[in-house]
Amino acid sequence: MDYKKVDGSFSLAGKTCLVTGAANGIGKASATLYASKGANVALVDLQESVHDVAQALAKEYGVKTISIIGDITNKESIANMIDKTKAAFGGIDVLANIAGAVELEDAEKLPEAYWDKMMTVNAKGTFLMCQLVGCEMIAQGRGGKIVNIASQAGFIALDKHVAYTASKAAIIGMTKVLGFEWAEFGINVNAVSPTVVLTEMGEKAWQGEVAENMKKRIPANRFAYPDEIAAAVLFLSCNESNMITGENLVVDGGFTIK
């Protein structure tokens, strides 16, 4: 794709962003930042509360939004997301793959159902979203941005995280391949790997003494907030990051530099 001058505004005016997991946590924070930068936003979630989030963003930022109840593990559901977004906004410029799940257990006790859920939601779901939206971006012929949420657990060992780690490592790997294959179409594919984030899912996984011990291992001495991760997602969604693709941006307060 042709060079686009960087102006440092991180503007998304005139762009359409599709965000999964948008009802809360990192997804909601990312959709909010997108709206604040002038984007049209399609918010996807399994929770009905996504409708309220979409309406609130439209009212606060004066942008156009739609909300869709959708399942990232089902191709028909994804096709419906794409069709509704195209009908509302004419195309898709940015995909933020935020939706995910977590189930934790010691490796020797891990139920097969936990493994299957991690692989289905985190790995398969992320890939299907990339594949179908990526095909749409290729057909549009104007490039695009895809940002996947991975995790520090995707490249380091964490207790009870064997299935989650495997699924997030898969996301990091597929991000590299897609970034390589789709560069010729002007599509940037990158991942963001957070440390523990204070979302509903993060607080479920990290509580009490376990949480306090984990904080002591992070040089910043705290967990991350959703809007801090959303800021990284925003950067990878704008023209300012056009020369970055296939990368994994680690946002972990220094946990993995030791």
Side-chain angles (χ1 to χ4, degrees), residues 18 42-45 50-51 66-70 80-81 84-85:
L18 173 60
L43 295 87
V44 176
D45 207 288
V50 72
H51 300 312
I66 60 170
S67 50
I68 306 165
I69 301 298
N80 180 60
M81 299 174 202
K84 287 187 175 180
T85 303

Side-chain angles (χ1 to χ4, degrees), residues 2 19 31 38 42 51 70 74 77 87 91 114 120 145 155-156 172 176 178 191 198 212 226 229 238 241:
D2 293 335
V19 185
H51 300 312
N74 181 283
S77 181
Y114 280 16
T120 300
K145 303 278 189 173
F155 58 94
I156 61 170
I172 294 170
K176 292 179 180 296
L178 296 178
L198 293 172
E212 293 308 310
I229 310 307
C238 300
S241 62

Side-chain angles (χ1 to χ4, degrees), residues 6-188:
V6 173
D7 61 14
S9 69
F10 298 92
S11 174
L12 289 170
K15 302 288 188 179
T16 293
C17 302
L18 173 60
V19 185
T20 68
N24 51 51
I26 298 170
K28 180 180 178 180
S30 297
T32 300
L33 269 184
Y34 285 157
S36 75
K37 293 298 181 178
N40 303 316
V41 188
L43 295 87
V44 176
D45 207 288
L46 288 171
Q47 299 182 33
E48 295 286 341
S49 59
V50 72
H51 300 312
D52 295 331
V53 175
Q55 291 176 8
L57 292 183
K59 181 177 180 180
E60 181 171 357
Y61 296 104
V63 297
K64 295 179 180 179
T65 66
I66 60 170
S67 50
I68 306 165
I69 301 298
D71 180 359
I72 67 170
T73 69
N74 181 283
K75 277 193 169 184
E76 290 184 2
S77 181
I78 297 171
N80 180 60
M81 299 174 202
I82 293 171
D83 289 344
K84 287 187 175 180
T85 303
K86 288 172 61 180
F89 306 123
I92 302 171
D93 300 291
V94 178
L95 167 63
N97 270 319
I98 313 294
V102 59
E103 296 289 358
L104 306 179
E105 184 53 274
D106 293 327
E108 70 273 16
K109 300 176 184 176
L110 185 79
E112 185 176 351
Y114 280 16
W115 179 272
D116 290 345
K117 181 178 179 181
M118 295 299 91
M119 293 302 160
T120 300
V121 176
N122 295 342
K124 176 185 174 180
T126 298
F127 171 70
L128 290 179
M129 288 298 305
C130 286
Q131 185 185 51
L132 272 67
V133 175
C135 286
E136 185 62 34
M137 288 178 173
I138 292 170
Q140 290 173 174
R142 63 186 193 219
K145 303 278 189 173
I146 297 176
V147 185
N148 300 321
I149 292 295
S151 171
Q152 65 181 14
F155 58 94
I156 61 170
L158 292 173
D159 189 39
K160 300 181 184 295
H161 279 64
V162 64
Y164 185 78
T165 286
S167 69
K168 292 299 186 176
I171 291 174
I172 294 170
M174 77 173 72
T175 296
K176 292 179 180 296
V177 175
L178 296 178
F180 177 71
E181 290 191 3
W182 292 349
E184 66 176 294
F185 304 111
I187 299 171
N188 299 72

Side-chain angles (χ1 to χ4, degrees), residues 26 148-156 158 164 168 191-197 224-225 228-230 233 248-253 255-256:
I26 298 170
N148 300 321
I149 292 295
S151 171
Q152 65 181 14
F155 58 94
I156 61 170
L158 292 173
Y164 185 78
K168 292 299 186 176
V192 175
S193 281
T195 186
V196 180
V197 185
Y225 288 88
E228 294 178 302
I229 310 307
V233 173
N248 179 41
L249 176 57
V250 181
V251 187
D252 68 351
F255 182 83
T256 59

